[in-house]
Amino acid sequence: MTIAGKTILVTGANRGIGQALVAEALSRGAERVYAGTRRSLAHPDARVTPMALDVTSAAQIQAAAGHVDTLDILINNAGLALYDDLSDREVLERHLAVNLFGTYAVTQAFLPQLARAKGAIVNNLSLMALAPLPLTPAYAVSKAAAFNLTQSLRALLAGQGVRVHAVLTGPTDTDMTKGFEIPKASPEYVARAIFDAVDNGEEDIFPDPASASVAGSWRNGAAKELERQNAALVQPPSAAA
Ligand SMILES: NC(=O)c1ccc[n+]([C@@H]2O[C@H](COP(=O)([O-])OP(=O)(O)OC[C@H]3O[C@@H](n4cnc5c(N)ncnc54)[C@H](OP(=O)(O)O)[C@@H]3O)[C@@H](O)[C@H]2O)c1
């Protein structure tokens, strides 16, 4: 799927990787980019339509879906990451509300448009979906759950021609990793790699040097093989072929 001429919605579009995804979509010739944000956003490019979209607000999600007739690619990028030690249930619930249920709710709301377009869903998850960093365990739990959601949606929506991509992003230089002194990719690099991989039809995307180092072993590993075998149980023969 090439990005030129496509209509794309990015959640969490005002900063970090979301902002870079909007810029990259425009530079690749997207026809319309819906920029979902919690605070109002002004964008100099006329192809950008700002949209009030707190992914924990059922009312805002419903209103946003009502304004969009056509959608080729939904990028669930909005995310929350807080340091914790799993001692406070409320912190876990906050992560699940944004990273799992936000992704779920936005996806469900835009599914009719995506199915009509035979489009794609791109969930910006985290390498921590595969292995937690115990400095942010609640975040890792929410990303692991969102990854599992992504895998099931991939199998369930294949028959409708909707592709579902998981982005297993590694450390990226945004507000989320401020003060964390480790090698990080730039958000622009990550955004380019995500669109390249969507273009190439890669279902699991490893968009930075840290995540790319595990891509081969993930794709050839037992867990991926099991995902394929399980998915075949719910896919019609044409999609599973
Ligand atoms: N940076 C990394 O190293 C890294 C690594 C792996 C995965 N990721 C994932 O990449 C995605 C983007 O992260 P980032 O690094 O760009 O972080 P960021 O700079 O902290 O940006 C987070 C974005 O999510 C938005 N957001 C948070 N809660 C929201 C809500 N309830 N509704 C709508 N938008 C909400 C924020 O909006 P406000 O400005 O309104 O807060 C902001 O636009 C996240 O899903 C994150 O988990 C990041």
Side-chain angles (χ1 to χ4, degrees):
M1 175 186 282
T2 55
I3 309 305
K6 296 291 192 300
T7 297
I8 299 168
L9 167 58
V10 181
T11 66
N14 53 305
R15 59 191 171 99
I17 298 171
Q19 186 178 37
L21 285 165
V22 170
E24 186 61 26
L26 293 171
S27 80
R28 290 179 186 229
E31 184 176 297
R32 170 81 26 218
V33 180
Y34 292 101
T37 61
R38 292 196 288 187
R39 280 163 267 172
S40 65
L41 176 83
H43 198 285
D45 194 306
R47 292 173 293 162
V48 175
T49 303
M51 189 166 255
L53 190 52
D54 182 327
V55 302
T56 65
S57 164
Q60 286 190 7
I61 293 170
Q62 194 185 4
H67 280 114
V68 174
D69 289 334
T70 303
L71 188 64
D72 296 299
I73 304 176
L74 166 64
I75 306 185
N76 285 303
N77 168 77
L80 171 75
L82 303 171
Y83 291 102
D84 82 309
D85 61 4
L86 290 181
S87 61
D88 185 344
R89 180 190 167 105
E90 201 254 339
V91 175
L92 179 58
E93 287 178 348
R94 282 180 65 192
H95 284 89
L96 291 170
V98 178
N99 299 344
L100 176 65
F101 291 113
T103 296
Y104 169 77
V106 174
T107 300
Q108 292 299 321
F110 285 93
L111 216 39
Q113 292 92 323
L114 292 164
R116 275 201 301 277
K118 298 208 179 304
I121 298 164
V122 181
N123 290 340
N124 192 1
L125 306 167
S126 167
L127 208 42
M128 283 189 225
L130 300 182
L133 176 66
L135 293 171
T136 54
Y139 172 75
V141 168
S142 69
K143 291 292 186 175
F147 184 35
N148 208 280
L149 172 79
T150 304
Q151 292 171 302
S152 282
L153 286 172
R154 175 181 292 156
L156 292 166
L157 298 179
Q160 295 181 54
V162 177
R163 272 161 293 169
V164 185
H165 302 265
V167 188
L168 287 313
T169 314
T172 307
D173 193 8
T174 68
D175 294 342
M176 196 172 272
T177 55
K178 209 179 265 178
F180 209 47
E181 296 314 324
I182 51 166
K184 301 171 202 171
S186 73
E188 292 76 21
Y189 180 100
V190 167
R192 279 195 299 276
I194 290 172
F195 281 122
D196 284 348
V198 171
D199 270 0
N200 292 337
E202 293 169 28
E203 53 185 31
D204 297 324
I205 299 172
F206 297 85
D208 57 279
S211 65
S213 70
V214 305
S217 58
W218 167 255
R219 290 188 177 122
N220 297 314
K224 188 68 196 175
E225 180 52 30
L226 196 54
E227 178 193 334
R228 290 192 193 101
Q229 286 174 18
N230 291 348
L233 300 174
V234 298
Q235 283 170 6
S238 59

